């Protein structure tokens, strides 16, 4: 009897497999980090074969720890770090190059060339995206131009492109023995190659980017029982389990938070930070530096869209303080350090490590610590590091309020950083809206499980999912208006200091 749903979350820093019961409660979990490869400043890569090995290991690990068998899973769903690009050989499964990670800035020159003809908004009307190093299209172009053999193989139809859900699903469903080569609409909407309304690859952009159609996966809904087939019974699940869902991780969190109604928003605080506002069945173009993207598509239904504010560095700044500055050993310790002082002593940290993403889109920006005086100590820096995430979120909310014309009135939050209560209170203060954390913080995996569970009939109605959502805690604003606005003015000045750094 299939009593559970499983979900793979192939994230930027780790891969996990979580098993959920019908109430959306976690009954099994395993997780493994993978290596971050930095071959040059600003470049970030992952080894796709390490990621596939880790995926198998965490699936086996979660089953073993929970005593659940693969055959007890009604279906599985996949969620993933988006944009990260792999090109591999269809006969052997061997990657032509490491996966180029979403944070990687190596396509700066390619993007500059693309912008020469039409500027940063050249493809925005069709794709919803500005030209930026963040997205997959320029990363594919880089691989085809820089890896010997890759272009010829792509033109012959031997080289396949995929984002991480495509890569993992291909392997799970048989790999070289005929694995499914598909991408879901949410991931495809991050490539800068898909027409946002038609949900098809755009011929003109493919030509401009020099990407042969043969290498692109088929675009499918995020939740569907008939698309992907089943897992290989000789694989880590040791059973044929239908793959019924695939959703990019930030959209999966939106589903996991059950933001099914236009106007609902969530913010996920992980390596980066991603605020998504559900806007309904029509894509709304952004005029204030946000992205228009697909929120999800359930089989047989119209797609839903959202406006997204993407922040490249959030929890990664805490990791930087831990690993590069050696200030503590565990990310959670940053809260205790920051609590030792009432404020940052006038210091701001702007983590423009890979330029600034939304709403600025400035690849020429680099990080700054502004406002240093002899008075400032590590406690102030720790506090400023946390505040940076809250201020970056405020930048996004300001842009979103202007784009949607409706001010945000509350925010659902999730991700690794929301354990930090100091940050959550400050977030509520600088936004001047209540901030609510759900009791299941693993909303990303839960969203992928929901996508798979709805398609497989494990859950029948979205209302069942909404019933599963439970509040853990809400923080309400308690900061004086003047303090809030003065703090934010300082932040804007600090952001200015990061610009025009890279020549
Ligand atoms: N208590 C904490 N306070 C601040 N940051 C934290 C805390 N715990 C974890 N983090 C940060 O959260 C991130 C991990 O969150 P997670 O959602 O697992 O990220 P991802 O899915 O992007 O890998 C790390 O960057 C880490 O530095
Ligand atoms: O893996 P995460 O949680 O850092 O998310 C990465 C985003 O999907 C990048 O767009």
């Amino acid at each position: 009897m299939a009593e559970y749903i499983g979900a793979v979350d192939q994230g930027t820093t780790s891969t996990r497999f979580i098993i959920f019961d019908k109430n959306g409660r976690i009954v099994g979990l395993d997780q493994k980090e993978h290596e971050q490869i930095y071959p040059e400043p600003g470049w970030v890569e992952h080894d796709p074969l390490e990621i596939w090995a880790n995926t198998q290991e965490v699936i086996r690990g979660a089953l073993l720890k929970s005593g659940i068998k693969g055959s007890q899973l009604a279906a599985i769903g996949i969620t993933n770090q988006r944009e990260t690009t792999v090109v591999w050989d269809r006969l052997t499964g061997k990657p032509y190059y490491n996966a180029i990670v979403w944070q990687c800035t190596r396509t700066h020159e390619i993007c500059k060339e693309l912008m020469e003809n039409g500027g940063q908004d050249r493809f925005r009307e069709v794709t919803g995206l500005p030209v930026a190093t963040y997205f997959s299209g320029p990363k594919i172009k880089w691989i085809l131009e820089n890896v010997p053999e890759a272009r010829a193989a792509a033109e012959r139809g031997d080289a396949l492109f995929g984002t991480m859900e495509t890569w993992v699903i291909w392997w799970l469903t048989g790999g070289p023995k005929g694995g499914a080569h598909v991408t879901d609409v949410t991931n495809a909407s991050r490539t800068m190659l898909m027409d946002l309304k038609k949900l098809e690859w755009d011929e003109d952009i493919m030509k401009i980017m020099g990407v042969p159609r043969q290498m692109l996966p088929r675009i499918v809904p995020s939740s569907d029982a008939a698309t992907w087939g089943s897992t290989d019974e000789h694989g880590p699940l040791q059973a044929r389990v239908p793959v019924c869902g695939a959703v990019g991780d930030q959209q999966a969190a939106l589903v996991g938070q059950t933001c099914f109604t236009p106007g609902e928003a969530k913010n996920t605080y992980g390596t980066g930070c991603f605020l998504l506002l559900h806007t309904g069945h029509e894509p709304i173009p952004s005029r204030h530096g946000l992205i228009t993207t697909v929120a999800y598509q359930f089989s047989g239904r119209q797609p839903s869209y959202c406006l997204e504010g993407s922040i490249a560095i959030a929890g990664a700044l805490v990791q930087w303080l831990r690993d590069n500055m050696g200030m503590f050993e565990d990310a959670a310790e940053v809260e205790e350090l920051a609590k030792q002082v009432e404020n940052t002593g006038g210091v701001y940290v702007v983590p423009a490590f890979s330029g600034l993403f939304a709403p600025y889109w400035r690849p020429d920006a680099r990080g700054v610590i502004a406002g240093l005086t002899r008075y400032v100590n590590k406690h102030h820096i720790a506090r400023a590091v946390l505040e940076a995430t809250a201020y970056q979120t405020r930048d996004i909310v300001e842009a979103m309020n202007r784009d949607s014309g409706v001010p945000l009135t509350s925010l659902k939050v999730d991700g690794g950083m929301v354990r930090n209560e100091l940050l959550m209170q400050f977030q509520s203060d600088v936004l001047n809206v209540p901030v609510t954390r759900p009791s299941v913080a693993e909303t990303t995996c839960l969203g992928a499980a929901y996508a798979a569970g709805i398609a497989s009939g494990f859950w029948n109605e979205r209302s069942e999912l909404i019933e599963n959502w439970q509040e853990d805690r809400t923080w309400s604003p308690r900061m004086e208006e003047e303090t809030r606005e003065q703090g934010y003015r300082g932040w804007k000045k600090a952001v200015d200091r990061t610009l025009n750094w890279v020549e």
Side-chain angles (χ1 to χ4, degrees), residues 54-259:
N54 288 1
T55 306
Q56 297 174 80
E57 199 177 318
V58 296
I59 291 176
R60 285 196 203 98
L63 291 173
L64 199 70
K65 284 185 197 170
S66 60
I68 293 169
K69 291 199 174 63
S71 55
Q72 288 175 277
L73 302 182
I76 64 165
I78 320 290
T79 180
N80 58 293
Q81 52 167 326
R82 307 161 304 165
E83 302 93 17
T84 298
T85 295
V86 198
V87 175
W88 73 95
D89 183 278
R90 76 157 76 235
L91 297 175
T92 62
K94 195 168 170 284
Y96 282 89
Y97 192 78
N98 271 340
I100 302 184
V101 177
W102 59 277
Q103 298 151 320
C104 185
T105 57
R106 82 183 62 201
T107 56
H108 187 46
E109 285 304 316
I110 292 179
C111 290
K112 258 169 67 185
E113 272 167 36
L114 289 170
M115 284 190 284
E116 270 163 23
N117 216 335
Q120 196 162 40
D121 286 338
R122 179 173 183 185
F123 307 124
R124 195 188 271 278
E125 203 182 316
V126 177
T127 66
L129 310 175
V131 175
T133 58
Y134 182 21
F135 306 110
S136 316
K139 298 184 199 291
I140 307 176
K141 187 170 162 61
W142 189 94
I143 292 177
L144 296 182
E145 285 173 1
N146 290 279
V147 180
E149 286 302 307
R151 176 164 297 282
E155 273 159 14
R156 279 198 312 272
D158 287 340
L160 304 179
F161 152 75
T163 37
M164 297 318 280
E165 89 296 359
T166 304
W167 170 248
V168 168
I169 291 174
W170 188 77
W171 276 108
L172 278 173
T173 56
K177 293 181 289 178
H181 186 223
V182 285
T183 183
D184 93 293
V185 283
T186 64
N187 278 291
S189 74
R190 321 293 298 189
T191 56
M192 219 163 77
L193 296 169
M194 188 184 81
D195 183 315
L196 207 52
K197 286 194 183 135
K198 296 185 190 151
L199 304 178
E200 287 169 7
W201 300 122
D202 184 89
E203 295 287 344
D204 291 340
I205 303 178
M206 273 160 49
K207 264 194 215 120
I208 295 166
M209 215 79 86
V211 174
R213 174 175 274 280
Q214 307 84 285
M215 74 185 305
L216 296 178
R218 189 159 55 92
I219 302 173
V220 297
S222 330
S223 166
D224 193 289
T227 292
W228 294 277
S230 296
T231 56
D232 182 352
E233 60 201 328
H234 305 297
L237 285 151
Q238 293 285 298
R240 288 186 65 75
V241 180
V243 181
C244 293
V247 200
D249 58 6
Q250 302 308 322
Q251 288 91 333
L254 192 76
V255 173
Q257 290 268 27
T258 65
C259 295

Side-chain angles (χ1 to χ4, degrees), residues 15 83 161 181 198 253 267 274 296 310 328 368 408 463:
T15 306
E83 302 93 17
F161 152 75
H181 186 223
K198 296 185 190 151
N267 200 16
F274 302 86
Y296 51 80
S310 333
F328 40 81
V368 298
L408 188 81
S463 54

Side-chain angles (χ1 to χ4, degrees), residues 421-433:
E421 310 215 331
L422 184 76
L423 170 61
M424 291 299 103
Q425 180 58 54
F426 189 73
Q427 184 66 91
S428 171
D429 285 340
V430 294
L431 292 180
N432 199 23
V433 301

